[in-house]
């Protein structure tokens, strides 16, 4: 089975059995026990997730091992363990529930994180989210904890919590290079969401000026951005949502519409080609591909397929040891909190 993330280039996606966002592809990996091998055309954390959710005898293959995610790399397990110890100094026993049964802090990690981080979260009563279920997951966490430690993407955390009514003053940032993350103990005690200092370099490029320009040049334009964009950009847009949300919004538009989209260029170009009745363009005029997604060159895909035909298993991604079981627990909590819309079959 070949899985393709929405950000893959067309020459790769045309070979995929399923195309979708990270949530949909995680469940596609879980749902095809008959596939001997799963070739994941996406980035490293997605392949790790597929390995965690598929059967042990299924091999998950990443066509280029250098296809990582710079945002996922911004939360390193040692930094996160260190953060947790500092939070223990502030709050005491982080596993001890109060009189209402809620613990001081629930860790929530974005899917865009290493298996080690997912394992950490699973061990400490936490959960994974993606951009398509972040609100549901935060509601889950607030039922169990006084506050959330959210990593690695500050923007998804801030945008989601703000939409749920959490005031910005109650969302201090945690900079792993500073004592107490650069906050005071009082800020942390008063907080509802502690935001890790991470971001996506692709989505950080979108600006309010680009939205203003799109509105000036295309009266009536519908602006949709990914929630990894900075808060000001999400606030200035008409809507924000995951890659699958963006695809569905365009698919469901009954009238010919002009869409300005704030996400990775390969998806925007594909949508523009698939829906010629609409005018669809990327908000950033200097096109912004995700350079690590782009490392899945079609030549690598051909190579891993040829290797499989020859009876070899190249570039296998396996999550083992102490990490795998708690990481799977954190993922299963997410899947139980909100089942996804199935990935598109090509
Ligand atoms: P989705 O969860 O929307 O697929 O996004 C993943 C991602 O890496 C966005 O930059
Ligand atoms: Fe990571 Fe950003 Fe690329 Fe998504 S677009 S895979 S968050 S670097």
């Amino acid at each position: 089975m070949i899985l393709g993330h929405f950000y893959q280039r067309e020459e790769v996606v045309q070979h995929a059995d399923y195309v979708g966002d990270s949530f949909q592809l995680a469940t596609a990996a879980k749902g095809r026990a008959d596939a001997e091998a799963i070739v994941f055309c996406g980035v490293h954390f997605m392949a790790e997730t597929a390995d965690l959710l598929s059967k042990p005898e299924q091999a998950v293959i990443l066509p280029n091992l250098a296809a990582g995610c710079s945002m996922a790399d911004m939360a390193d397990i040692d930094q996160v363990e260190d953060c947790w110890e500092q939070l223990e100094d502030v709050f005491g026993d982080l596993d001890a529930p109060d009189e209402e049964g809620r613990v001081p802090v629930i860790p929530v990690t974005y899917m865009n994180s290493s298996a080690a981080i997912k394992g950490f979260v699973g061990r400490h009563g936490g959960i994974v989210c993606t951009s398509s279920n972040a609100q549901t997951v935060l509601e889950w966490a607030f039922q169990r904890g006084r506050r959330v430690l959210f990593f690695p993407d500050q923007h998804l955390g801030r945008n989601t919590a703000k939409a749920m009514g959490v005031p910005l003053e109650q969302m201090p940032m945690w900079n792993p290079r500073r004592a107490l993350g650069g906050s005071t103990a009082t800020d942390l005690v008063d907080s509802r969401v502690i935001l890790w200092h991470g971001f996506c370099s692709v989505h950080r490029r979108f600006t309010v000026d680009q939205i203003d320009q799109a509105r000036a040049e295309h009266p009536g334009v519908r602006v949709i951005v990914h929630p990894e964009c900075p808060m000001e950009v999400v606030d200035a847009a008409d809507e924000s949502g995951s890659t699958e949300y963006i695809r569905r919004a365009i698919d469901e538009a009954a009238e010919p519409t002009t869409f300005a989209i704030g996400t990775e260029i390969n998806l925007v170009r594909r949508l523009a080609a698939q829906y010629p009745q609409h005018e669809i363009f990327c908000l950033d005029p200097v096109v912004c591909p995700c350079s690590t997604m782009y490392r899945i060159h079609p030549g690598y895909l051909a190579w891993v397929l040829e290797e499989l035909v020859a009876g070899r298993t190249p570039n296998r991604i396996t999550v083992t040891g102490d990490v795998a079981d708690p990481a799977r627990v954190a993922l299963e909590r997410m899947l139980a909190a909100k089942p996804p819309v199935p990935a598109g079959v090509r």
Side-chain angles (χ1 to χ4, degrees), residues 10-338:
E10 199 48 36
E11 300 91 317
V12 169
V13 155
Q14 65 180 333
H15 301 292
D17 297 302
Y18 296 92
V19 183
D21 68 7
S22 57
F23 192 35
Q24 294 172 310
L25 294 180
T27 47
K30 187 178 158 79
R32 279 289 303 272
D34 58 321
E36 245 175 82
I38 299 170
V39 178
F40 208 118
C41 299
V43 289
H44 193 268
F45 72 81
M46 297 180 181
E48 282 187 328
T49 301
D51 182 58
L52 287 164
L53 294 176
S54 57
K55 298 262 177 279
E57 61 276 14
Q58 291 180 289
V60 175
I61 291 163
L62 185 63
N64 180 356
L65 295 178
C69 164
S70 53
M71 177 209 281
D73 293 342
M74 289 177 191
D76 165 275
I77 186 63
D78 293 335
Q79 292 173 332
V80 169
E81 300 269 12
D82 178 56
C83 164
W84 200 248
E85 277 172 27
Q86 293 189 57
L87 292 178
E88 265 166 350
D89 293 340
V90 175
F91 296 108
D93 183 356
L94 293 176
D95 295 321
D98 61 14
E99 60 288 351
E100 289 172 12
R102 289 192 282 175
V103 294
V105 185
I106 293 276
V108 175
T109 189
Y110 190 20
M111 181 76 101
N112 299 33
S113 57
S114 67
I117 301 282
K118 293 186 179 80
F120 171 90
V121 162
R123 276 200 312 281
H124 293 285
I127 184 168
V128 178
C129 76
T130 74
S131 53
S132 61
N133 59 20
Q135 178 157 344
T136 307
V137 166
L138 283 191
E139 282 161 6
W140 182 100
F142 285 135
Q143 282 161 13
R144 291 159 177 82
R146 290 269 155 216
R147 57 189 67 69
V148 162
L149 171 63
F150 190 95
F151 33 70
D153 186 19
Q154 57 171 293
H155 299 298
L156 178 65
R158 187 180 295 110
N159 289 325
T160 309
K162 185 171 174 233
M164 294 168 73
V166 178
L168 291 178
E169 314 80 77
Q170 292 189 326
M171 294 190 233
M173 185 101 82
W174 187 279
N175 181 339
R177 283 174 214 82
R178 297 174 61 185
L180 284 188
S183 297
T184 63
T186 311
D187 291 338
L188 296 170
V189 169
D190 292 343
S191 71
R192 296 280 284 138
V193 181
I194 303 166
L195 298 168
W196 194 263
H197 190 276
F199 58 86
C200 165
S201 45
V202 176
H203 290 90
R204 197 169 65 152
R205 291 171 55 95
F206 296 107
T207 64
V208 175
D209 281 351
Q210 291 165 354
I211 296 181
D212 290 343
Q213 193 176 340
R215 293 201 193 284
E217 291 173 6
H218 304 271
V221 66
R222 200 169 146 191
V223 181
I224 314 183
V225 301
H226 196 280
E228 286 176 14
C229 292
M231 178 182 74
E232 304 72 40
V233 173
V234 168
D235 288 349
D238 297 307
E239 296 151 70
S240 72
S242 73
T243 47
E244 166 62 11
Y245 175 94
I246 296 169
R247 186 203 65 76
R248 203 163 356 108
I250 293 172
D251 184 67
E252 289 173 358
E255 299 296 323
T257 307
T258 303
F259 288 97
I261 303 297
T263 197
E264 209 268 350
I265 188 66
N266 282 291
L267 174 58
V268 181
R269 283 197 182 133
R270 184 170 328 110
L271 291 170
Q274 278 174 348
Y275 297 93
Q277 68 274 36
H278 302 305
E279 186 185 355
I280 301 171
F281 61 93
C282 182
L283 269 177
D284 188 345
V286 183
V287 293
C288 51
C290 170
S291 57
T292 48
M293 283 274 181
Y294 203 67
R295 289 181 185 163
I296 306 294
H297 187 278
Y300 287 122
L301 174 58
W303 170 68
V304 296
L305 294 176
E306 283 170 2
E307 287 290 292
L308 285 171
V309 169
R312 293 183 287 268
T313 308
N315 289 9
R316 184 166 182 178
I317 303 295
T318 40
V319 182
T320 52
D322 300 346
V323 164
D325 286 340
R328 201 172 292 113
V329 167
L331 282 164
E332 295 287 0
R333 283 181 186 138
M334 172 187 78
L335 295 175
K338 186 185 177 196

